[in-house]
Amino acid sequence: MHAIILAIISIISINIFSTVAQDAAFEAKVDSFLNKVLECRKNKNPGLSVAVVKGGKVLLAKGYGFAEVSSGRRASNTTNFAVASNSKAFAATLMLKQLHDRNLSIYAHPGDIIKGDFRFKSSYYTSYVTIRDLMCHASGLPSYNLMRLDPTLTKAEMARRVRYLDTVHPFRTTYMYSNLNYGLLAYCSEILGGKSYEDLIRETIYTPLGMSQSSFLKFIGQDHNDVAVGYADDEENGGIVPVPYELDRMWGENGGSTGIVSNAVDMTKWLMFHLSGGKNQHGQTVVEQGILDSMYKGRMAIQSSSIEAAIHRPKTPVTLTEVSYDFGIRDGFYRGYRILRHTGTTFGFSSLLTLFPEMNVGIFTSMSGEDENYIFRGLLHSYLADIAIGEDQPWLNETTICTFPEPWYRAAPSSRRQINRNHHPTHALSTYVGTYHNIAFGDLKVYFNSTIAQLQMTYGKGLWTLYPLIHPDSFYGEGQGFISKLIDVSPVSFKVAGSGNDVHTTSAEIPDFESNAPPVFQKQTSSGGSAIVG
């Protein structure tokens, strides 16, 4: 009997040792790779958070590079990074659980929950757009992202302004990715739960999963000492610039679309939650598997993504594709394996989450800095996936991930943004001065700054200096203050009427405020106009 017990202990010990050795080997191999590739990106992406799980075990949870460049503070496995649009899966999970607990359907209308005088611009949309349409971007509403510069834009106020916003497509006909959809979703969650969105996420997801260090973009830089600084490209001068936490916090008000801030350790728990059918690390059910399964069903067909344009056969040895949008996550394929995937991009941070359901593998990365067209993120996940799922020959190495798309094909030439500050305006600068009003956005104010002898423009907390363009009555808006290097707008186009001494502007249009439905701001008389929207 004693011999049998010793044999069993020996077998258990060998299995534990093998598992630890395998995990250690994975970390050592990936560690070397990530340190080398981050070195070639150090002037682009200073910090990186990585989480990899497989079969219910953590293969890697680590921070790389710098959390803050100026101080030399290093990123650790508990350094919080913004996950940006990977927040949408949190919002969808919360909403699906709330609907289930209240015996409501995904086909409930937002107005059934918000009640009062909530409505879309079209009565047809008000009658037929559902929670499902919000979660899979089928509402036809674009994002209207720069409206967030208005400090009065709470979730409730955003829901009220929907009645003034144009849709771009008939609902359920075209995939129209929209952060506004998820802002509405978060507001519906607040009404159903009777608490702030942040409190609901903590109670429903963070606490039961043990994500004790995770926070929210709304509070970034205020409630967590170990948080990464975001960085953006300095497109005119080269290099990178830090993103003020103030700007991130403004974007965090729309919590459902961009609100989550987390780290490598906590995100391993989020990955395993989805791979285990809604259980936490102790095997306890947090959200029933049937509820989560409804997240992963293809709802809206999507066009080919930019990452697919870069990574597909025969240009590259493998194909990475996305085919449909589900609820807060996309369906796709990598090397023939089904994947669930979502990118995230906000000021200063770029993230990516990939699940391989059949292989029980999950990968999450978030980095400070920009990543145009999601390419570097896609390459990182390709390499990490190849190692985790056991591909004998990863198609990338430390050299090719840094030289990509070479040696497979040539990259399109890139150039820095150059602002020509020497064009002459079509009319006297005083012609353009005034207050311009849009019923959904509020007031846009243009004035002459005598100190710099230039026009300047404000919207909410945003400030721009206006430089004339060659096109008549159009200007380049260069961001100033806390949006400097981050939010430029061009063109700012004025409509001019009259002639001779009676030339005057009647309106201003700014496509960068929403390219799919550019808002027009009407010139106000001296007695008209107000900062109050609507």
Side-chain angles (χ1 to χ4, degrees):
M1 183 67 177
H2 181 66
I4 294 174
I5 293 173
L6 287 176
I8 293 173
I9 292 173
S10 176
I11 292 171
I12 293 172
S13 298
I14 291 172
N15 287 339
I16 291 174
F17 176 78
S18 298
T19 302
V20 172
Q22 182 181 354
D23 293 352
F26 177 89
E27 182 175 348
K29 187 170 187 177
V30 168
D31 213 46
S32 172
F33 175 85
L34 290 176
N35 280 312
K36 288 178 180 177
V37 299
L38 200 61
E39 179 64 22
C40 77
R41 300 279 297 191
K42 64 182 179 182
N43 294 322
K44 184 82 170 177
N45 305 109
L48 175 67
S49 182
V50 183
V52 184
V53 302
K54 181 179 182 179
K57 297 183 182 297
V58 176
L59 298 185
L60 186 69
K62 197 166 183 178
Y64 295 85
F66 294 95
E68 185 176 34
V69 174
S70 61
S71 67
R73 179 165 55 92
R74 306 289 299 188
S76 74
N77 61 356
T78 56
T79 300
N80 274 350
F81 286 70
V83 312
S85 285
N86 271 298
S87 303
K88 291 179 172 66
F90 286 81
T93 301
L94 172 62
M95 175 54 66
L96 287 171
K97 188 174 189 310
Q98 287 179 312
L99 293 176
H100 176 268
D101 291 348
R102 289 159 179 78
N103 199 29
L104 295 172
S105 164
I106 59 173
Y107 296 102
H109 304 294
D112 295 339
I113 298 171
I114 299 173
K115 301 187 184 302
D117 193 28
F118 173 82
R119 62 184 186 274
F120 291 90
K121 194 169 185 178
S122 161
S123 59
Y124 183 75
Y125 277 68
T126 305
S127 298
Y128 291 102
V129 169
T130 65
I131 296 297
R132 172 209 180 269
D133 298 321
L134 298 181
M135 288 196 289
C136 67
H137 299 296
S139 72
L141 274 172
S143 287
Y144 292 101
N145 280 326
L146 291 193
M147 192 184 292
R148 297 192 227 186
L149 287 171
D150 181 351
T152 71
L153 192 70
T154 62
K155 296 181 190 69
E157 174 61 11
M158 177 191 60
R160 191 189 70 80
R161 295 188 196 184
V162 165
R163 70 190 68 187
Y164 305 123
L165 298 175
D166 291 322
T167 51
V168 177
H169 303 287
F171 79 98
R172 296 183 196 159
T173 63
T174 306
Y175 169 70
M176 168 60 70
Y177 188 85
S178 173
N179 288 315
L180 181 59
N181 286 336
Y182 273 77
L184 288 174
L185 202 68
Y187 184 50
C188 287
S189 284
E190 289 188 334
I191 294 172
L192 289 174
K195 298 178 181 179
S196 73
Y197 177 74
E198 292 74 24
D199 284 345
L200 291 168
I201 289 291
R202 284 194 191 280
E203 292 178 8
T204 307
I205 298 174
Y206 283 178
T207 297
L209 293 188
M211 298 177 67
S212 59
Q213 296 298 307
S214 295
S215 186
F216 301 92
L217 198 63
K218 188 174 180 179
F219 310 126
I220 192 169
Q222 295 178 333
D223 70 338
H224 196 293
N225 291 328
D226 192 7
V227 59
V229 174
Y231 291 90
D233 291 342
D234 185 340
E235 295 181 2
E236 188 172 17
N237 303 309
I240 55 176
V241 293
V243 175
Y245 286 139
E246 179 186 4
L247 180 59
D248 286 323
R249 287 194 291 267
M250 290 194 75
W251 254 242
E253 176 62 33
N254 187 351
S257 67
T258 55
I260 302 299
V261 174
S262 193
N263 57 72
V265 171
D266 280 3
M267 287 303 290
T268 62
K269 300 167 186 176
W270 177 244
L271 294 171
M272 288 193 285
F273 163 75
H274 282 281
L275 291 170
S276 67
K279 294 182 173 62
N280 65 14
Q281 58 189 323
H282 306 296
Q284 300 165 330
T285 296
V286 176
V287 177
E288 293 180 18
Q289 182 167 354
I291 298 173
L292 283 185
D293 286 345
S294 68
M295 281 186 67
Y296 315 137
K297 296 179 180 178
R299 308 284 177 170
M300 284 293 291
I302 61 178
Q303 297 176 342
S304 297
S305 63
S306 56
I307 189 67
E308 182 181 349
I311 303 176
H312 72 273
R313 300 180 70 180
K315 292 175 72 173
T316 59
V318 303
T319 295
L320 174 60
T321 186
E322 297 172 351
V323 296
S324 67
Y325 201 94
D326 306 344
F327 289 160
I329 204 159
R330 298 182 180 97
D331 244 309
F333 295 92
Y334 173 70
R335 285 186 178 267
Y337 296 100
R338 184 196 179 208
I339 58 174
L340 297 168
R341 183 175 183 271
H342 208 291
T343 53
T345 303
T346 190
F347 294 109
F349 297 97
S350 304
S351 74
L352 179 61
L353 181 145
T354 307
L355 300 173
F356 290 77
E358 285 76 22
M359 303 299 291
N360 205 4
V361 168
I363 303 167
F364 170 81
T365 60
S366 185
M367 65 186 82
S368 54
E370 297 184 16
D371 177 28
E372 291 83 0
N373 297 317
Y374 320 104
I375 302 300
F376 184 52
R377 282 167 278 185
L379 297 175
L380 275 181
H381 280 233
S382 294
Y383 177 82
L384 292 169
D386 283 354
I387 303 300
I389 64 180
E391 287 291 332
D392 293 333
Q393 294 184 334
W395 66 282
L396 292 160
N397 57 42
E398 294 94 334
T399 300
T400 55
I401 198 172
C402 291
T403 62
F404 188 87
E406 296 180 355
W408 295 282
Y409 59 95
R410 288 184 177 273
S414 60
S415 60
R416 289 182 183 172
R417 179 197 67 199
Q418 295 296 325
I419 303 173
N420 189 324
R421 298 174 174 83
N422 299 312
H423 291 307
H424 296 289
T426 311
H427 298 94
L429 294 180
S430 59
T431 305
Y432 309 98
V433 170
T435 297
Y436 299 78
H437 188 76
N438 178 279
I439 195 169
F441 277 76
D443 283 352
L444 186 79
K445 296 182 179 181
V446 179
Y447 61 93
F448 182 75
N449 185 328
S450 58
T451 302
I452 61 174
Q454 294 286 348
L455 286 181
Q456 290 197 305
M457 178 180 76
T458 62
Y459 171 71
K461 299 189 73 171
L463 169 66
W464 296 266
T465 298
L466 301 183
Y467 295 99
L469 297 171
I470 293 178
H471 193 274
D473 300 307
S474 295
F475 294 79
Y476 187 101
E478 183 183 29
Q480 306 295 316
F482 81 121
I483 63 168
S484 175
K485 311 289 186 183
L486 302 171
I487 306 177
D488 289 358
V489 292
S490 181
V492 179
S493 299
F494 294 90
K495 188 173 182 180
V496 175
S499 60
N501 294 326
D502 189 32
V503 173
H504 58 279
T505 56
T506 60
S507 63
E509 181 179 272
I510 310 179
D512 279 349
F513 272 33
E514 179 46 64
S515 60
N516 292 290
V520 176
F521 295 78
Q522 300 296 330
K523 181 74 168 289
Q524 302 296 289
T525 64
S526 58
S527 60
S530 170
I532 299 174
V533 181

